[in-house]
Amino acid sequence: MAKLIDGKLISAQIRSEIKEETNVFIKSHGYAPGLAVVIVGENPASQVYVRNKARACEEVGFYSEVHALPTETTQEELNALVDRLNADDKIHGILVQLPLPKHLDETEVLLRIDPNKDVDAFHPYNVGNIMIGNYKFLPCTPAGVMALLERSGIDPAGKNCVVIGRSNIVGKPMAMLLLHANGTVTVCHSKTKDLAAVCREADILVVAIGRADFVGADMVKPGAVVIDVGMNRRADGKLTGDVNFSEVEPIASAITPVPGGVGPMTITMLLKNTLTAAK
Ligand code: NAP
């Protein structure tokens, strides 16, 4: 039976550390770290994420602002808001909740955010810094995975690490962080040949595909560490990962559940980045 990597518990520990550091920061600076979250439109999932982010800020003592704009907001209006937030001294981190409505250009908005306030680490300046290993901000989900590994005593150094998924927000930066931690990294995607065989070589398998129960026991080496980034909704509305937990848990040495694994870490890493930005 695998050891359960408890993302809720680890996340709570890190948040309490952030809260302590925030108290010290406020005492010495006289102001709190500030995060502005921008949401455009009525996407219900995005609205939940934004509420959770604002609540998390409050919990650790940050100042936070939510800018909820109507769906018909123009690119010029959104750009102007980002410009105002870039210039606002109370705001140290800016996050534009994606996806944006179709008529808005996400890249244009992300490029407009001051890289020093880019707490999602999506700006090419920060992406480049991650590549060369000289970073201030790490993208929240991969950083959350690294923190889970570290706090579970799992060191990627010298291990075969396989990442399934090559998105800009999860797969690619995940591979880079594992590489910086001296893992031997393979990145898989939809064109990978004999995916199961590649995955069976993994000592650490990170799955970020977006397909419920995709990874079964036939894709996992006995004793592997399995990190499930996937967040999929079943027909009954329940959240489930990309890994078939009941099949894989008996053969893995450690595994993250969904919910309660990587998910809680993402907002925690956003808080960490905001504190870093304020400092
Ligand atoms: P994405 O942009 O859709 O990327 C999915 C990746 O999976 C792509 O690289 C794709 O390959 C690959 N893929 C799809 N089908 C495949 C298959 N049959 N075999 C091998 N690879 C396959 O998704 P994402 O944004 O990275 O998110 C991935 C999952 O993580 C989603 O469930 C998402 O909800 C979840 N997520 C969770 C958190 C969190 O906080 N826990 C944060 C972000 C994302 P190609 O490139 O070849 O198309």
Side-chain angles (χ1 to χ4, degrees):
M1 241 179 55
K3 174 189 164 191
L4 205 66
I5 300 178
D6 187 341
K8 263 194 191 162
L9 183 74
I10 294 174
S11 168
Q13 287 165 350
I14 299 176
R15 284 191 199 192
S16 110
E17 292 161 17
I18 292 173
K19 192 172 178 175
E20 272 174 37
E21 277 185 59
T22 302
N23 280 336
V24 174
F25 180 92
I26 294 172
K27 276 193 192 120
S28 61
H29 291 79
Y31 56 84
L35 176 71
V37 182
V38 179
I39 175 170
V40 187
E42 312 274 309
N43 181 323
S46 294
Q47 285 172 332
V48 173
Y49 295 144
V50 167
R51 266 201 304 278
N52 289 344
K53 284 165 187 169
R55 199 175 304 141
C57 282
E58 203 178 305
E59 205 184 289
V60 297
F62 287 3
Y63 168 75
S64 77
E65 287 177 2
V66 174
H67 295 263
L69 307 180
T71 310
E72 57 277 10
T73 300
T74 64
Q75 187 80 43
E76 291 67 34
E77 287 166 336
L78 184 55
N79 289 349
L81 173 60
V82 170
D83 290 346
R84 279 204 305 282
L85 296 171
N86 279 340
D88 187 338
D89 290 340
K90 292 193 300 302
I91 299 301
H92 307 100
I94 302 170
L95 182 148
V96 176
Q97 186 66 46
L98 303 179
L100 291 172
K102 292 259 176 299
H103 67 282
L104 295 171
D105 184 339
E106 286 183 1
T107 309
E108 186 176 332
V109 179
L110 296 180
L111 278 171
R112 209 160 180 113
I113 295 173
D114 178 345
N116 291 313
K117 296 190 177 189
D118 171 38
V119 284
D120 254 340
F122 289 166
H123 191 290
Y125 175 85
N126 288 317
V127 175
N129 278 336
I130 291 158
M131 188 83 170
I132 59 176
N134 174 27
Y135 34 74
K136 200 158 39 177
F137 305 128
L138 289 175
C140 300
T141 302
V145 172
M146 295 308 286
L148 287 178
L149 292 175
E150 195 186 327
R151 292 195 182 222
S152 305
I154 299 162
D155 182 0
K159 305 240 168 63
N160 281 340
C161 304
V162 173
V163 179
I164 322 181
R166 56 173 165 179
S167 70
N168 288 333
I169 62 167
V170 188
K172 279 186 211 160
M174 186 72 252
M176 205 47 65
L177 298 192
L178 288 165
L179 187 61
H180 290 321
N182 297 318
T184 302
V185 183
T186 306
V187 185
C188 300
H189 45 77
S190 65
K191 307 291 185 292
T192 298
K193 290 215 173 83
D194 203 351
L195 180 66
V198 179
C199 292
R200 280 195 302 270
E201 294 296 314
D203 302 309
I204 299 176
L205 179 63
V206 181
V207 190
I209 312 173
R211 292 192 181 202
D213 299 335
F214 184 88
V215 170
D218 62 316
M219 297 175 75
V220 177
K221 175 164 86 173
V225 172
V226 179
I227 306 290
D228 188 354
V229 181
M231 290 202 322
N232 312 289
R233 287 268 165 216
R234 287 189 193 283
D236 63 5
K238 282 204 178 126
L239 198 63
T240 186
D242 290 346
V243 175
N244 184 328
F245 188 87
S246 57
E247 266 191 27
V248 172
E249 190 269 344
I251 58 171
S253 63
I255 188 166
T256 57
V258 177
V262 176
M265 296 297 288
T266 298
I267 295 185
T268 301
M269 293 298 121
L270 171 71
L271 298 174
K272 199 166 176 206
N273 281 347
T274 305
L275 181 58
T276 303
K279 280 180 177 171

